[in-house]
Amino acid sequence: MKLTEKKIKQAKPKEKEYLLTDGYGLSIVIKSNVQKYWIHRFTLKGIRTPIYIGVYPKISLEEARRIHTNNKILISKGINPKKLNRNQRKANIKVVANTLKSIADKYFKEVYIPNTSPNTWSKIVPYFANDIYPFKELGNKSINNIKPLDLYEACKKISDRGARSSAKKVSRVLANIYSWAQLLGIAHVNTAYGLSKILPNHKKGKFNSVTNANDFAKVLNKIENVPDDKPKIKAFLKLIPLVFSEQGDLRAMKWSQINFIKAEWSYFRGKKINNKGGDLSVVPLSNQAIEIIKALLPYKIDSDYIFFSDKSYSGYISDSVVLKYLRACGVTKEETTLNGFRTSALTIGEEALGIGIGILKKRAEAMQKWADYCDQCKNPWKVKPVSSTKKFLWQKKISKN
């Protein structure tokens, strides 16, 4: 007699497991622990073989019959469905192991990150998790089943946001991933080959920056509005106007690079690994800069990075996170970018204090004057003018009112 859903549901467990048959080898096993599962027993080449179909009610009676019918068709052709299922599972495991995400992550870990400076790879790797993998679920697809157009469209989305240079860099890394996969015998062709050449070219331009002393004072005061519960972010934004350095170098600042006695920050510039072959840069630190860094000592952990982050591949805060808080406190992209602070310091410093980029012998003195000037911009009633013969732009404005 054929089974029904009602009969299956009413079947009660007994001391020993028993079968309810549906015909032609399809049965449901009622176990003593209340569990029920489907089984198909068939004979092929004189050998009686059981094949597990699935647990009831996850596999309904209708679904079990459909699988059973498909199995019978295979058996009629001399194909063992049990062996076929086993081979399919192995193939699926192989496909999962060869997805773009699994191959790319392995490439990053074994090749790219160990041989690339943190300042470089920390900007590129996040694009894969945020943009490449999610696009049309490319991360979960076999590396050999991805079309060149899919990779182009994923990179083009990055480019269309204004990050044209980054899009080209990501496309070149994709090409390197495929080349590496070819070397391992995983990828059949380099699907990303030549991709960077057809993406829009980066238009070089100057970073937005504030070069007017009055506007610069407003930016400094807006930074003070960053929440105190984000001490590292606030410290970074207060420090970047004082050091005349690239924002990427500052984000990667380490405790071991700071000499509190000499009030200096020493680090190697350039895209070099393990400080080999880079240019040593020694930055004098003003009293204000030293105090900002010392204020972060209570937050020091095992990491050597001053602006440590456990959410970043590089180990320190990303520029996107810092930029987010800079915008949140009211500083617009039309006013300044993170790299724009260096332009502001060089331009306003030279106009107001005569501090030029070529002043090296008295650089420590110049940095202190600049830090005092920044304080004066924020609190004009607290600090005396650097020069009694030259009024600052904001002072001229006040005197007119």
Side-chain angles (χ1 to χ4, degrees):
M1 182 182 291
K2 289 284 186 178
L3 291 173
T4 63
E5 288 284 354
K6 183 178 180 180
K7 186 175 181 180
I8 296 171
K9 290 178 180 178
Q10 291 178 344
K12 303 296 181 183
K14 298 180 181 179
E15 188 175 346
K16 292 185 179 180
E17 64 179 50
Y18 62 98
L19 301 178
L20 295 178
T21 60
D22 192 56
Y24 298 99
L26 177 62
S27 305
I28 188 167
V29 181
I30 314 298
K31 295 184 69 69
S32 58
N33 63 358
V34 189
Q35 188 183 38
K36 303 172 183 179
Y37 65 89
W38 295 102
I39 191 170
H40 176 202
R41 289 189 172 93
F42 62 93
T43 302
L44 183 64
K45 297 179 181 180
I47 301 174
R48 187 71 170 168
T49 306
I51 181 172
Y52 171 80
I53 293 179
V55 177
Y56 180 87
K58 186 174 182 180
I59 301 295
S60 65
L61 174 60
E62 181 181 359
E63 178 68 7
R65 284 173 175 168
R66 186 189 66 77
I67 296 173
H68 174 247
T69 300
N70 290 338
N71 287 346
K72 288 199 298 179
I73 293 173
L74 292 172
I75 294 167
S76 67
K77 296 179 179 181
I79 300 172
N80 187 327
K82 188 171 185 177
K83 289 184 178 180
L84 180 65
N85 290 346
R86 188 185 300 126
N87 292 336
Q88 284 179 338
R89 284 196 298 271
K90 288 181 179 179
N92 289 338
I93 291 171
K94 187 175 181 180
V95 168
V96 170
N98 292 342
T99 61
L100 175 61
K101 184 179 185 304
S102 64
I103 297 299
D105 288 350
K106 190 178 177 69
Y107 172 79
F108 292 145
K109 183 179 179 180
E110 297 182 8
V111 180
Y112 188 57
I113 292 177
N115 297 288
T116 312
S117 70
N119 279 351
T120 299
W121 65 255
S122 64
K123 296 174 184 177
I124 299 302
V125 173
Y127 278 109
F128 282 79
N130 298 330
D131 297 278
I132 303 300
Y133 298 157
F135 184 78
K136 294 184 178 181
E137 297 187 351
L138 292 180
N140 296 326
K141 290 184 178 181
S142 168
I143 198 169
N144 291 309
N145 293 338
I146 295 175
K147 300 177 181 178
L149 180 61
D150 292 334
L151 294 178
Y152 171 78
E153 290 178 345
C155 292
K156 184 66 164 50
K157 283 189 70 176
I158 299 173
S159 179
D160 290 345
R161 294 202 304 264
R164 290 186 174 185
S165 177
S166 295
K168 281 184 170 289
K169 290 176 183 177
V170 169
S171 67
R172 284 193 285 268
V173 172
L174 274 168
N176 291 339
I177 290 170
Y178 269 90
S179 293
W180 185 69
Q182 280 184 300
L183 185 65
L184 297 180
I186 298 172
H188 305 322
V189 295
N190 190 336
T191 309
Y193 179 77
L195 184 59
S196 64
K197 295 180 181 179
I198 58 176
L199 286 168
N201 290 323
H202 172 60
K203 294 180 180 179
K204 294 184 178 181
K206 294 181 179 180
F207 295 112
N208 287 346
S209 59
V210 178
T211 54
N212 177 279
N214 297 314
D215 294 334
F216 186 64
K218 293 176 183 178
V219 170
L220 294 179
N221 280 304
K222 287 177 181 178
I223 289 174
E224 295 295 329
N225 294 325
V226 175
D228 291 331
D229 62 351
K230 301 293 180 183
K232 286 180 287 186
I233 301 292
K234 190 167 187 175
F236 178 89
L237 289 173
K238 290 173 69 175
L239 194 58
I240 193 171
L242 306 180
V243 294
F244 290 68
S245 298
E246 299 287 349
Q247 58 90 12
D249 293 328
L250 183 58
R251 287 187 293 110
M253 177 186 276
K254 297 181 178 181
W255 291 107
S256 58
Q257 297 170 345
I258 305 299
N259 188 323
F260 287 105
I261 298 175
K262 292 184 178 181
E264 290 178 347
W265 167 33
S266 303
Y267 65 97
F268 286 87
R269 299 192 67 224
K271 298 179 180 180
K272 304 296 180 181
I273 306 165
N274 300 326
N275 295 340
K276 293 180 180 179
D279 299 323
L280 178 64
S281 179
V282 180
V283 180
L285 297 173
S286 63
N287 295 334
Q288 291 89 333
I290 289 292
E291 289 304 314
I292 291 171
I293 297 171
K294 282 185 176 180
L296 293 177
L297 282 170
Y299 305 98
K300 184 179 179 182
I301 57 171
D302 293 338
S303 173
D304 192 29
Y305 290 115
I306 292 178
F307 301 106
F308 165 80
S309 172
D310 57 359
K311 297 179 180 179
S312 171
Y313 281 97
S314 62
Y316 49 83
I317 55 175
S318 65
D319 52 354
S320 59
V321 171
V322 177
L323 199 59
K324 171 185 172 183
Y325 282 95
L326 182 65
R327 300 289 175 249
C329 71
V331 180
T332 65
K333 62 181 180 181
E334 288 75 24
E335 287 178 298
T336 187
T337 61
L338 290 178
N339 281 319
F341 281 101
R342 187 169 186 266
T343 303
S344 298
L346 292 171
T347 303
I348 301 174
E350 185 169 10
E351 290 179 356
L353 306 174
I355 299 174
I357 194 169
I359 299 178
L360 298 176
K361 293 182 179 180
K362 297 184 178 180
R363 195 176 180 192
E365 180 183 345
M367 297 287 269
Q368 186 59 55
K369 283 185 177 182
W370 170 249
D372 291 340
Y373 175 76
C374 290
D375 277 349
Q376 193 170 359
C377 285
K378 292 185 288 184
N379 306 299
W381 59 89
K382 287 186 179 181
V383 181
K384 294 180 180 180
V386 174
S387 172
S388 59
T389 60
K390 180 186 283 188
K391 284 190 175 182
F392 297 127
L393 296 178
W394 60 266
Q395 288 178 310
K396 292 178 181 179
K397 186 176 180 180
I398 292 173
S399 63
K400 290 179 181 181
N401 294 334

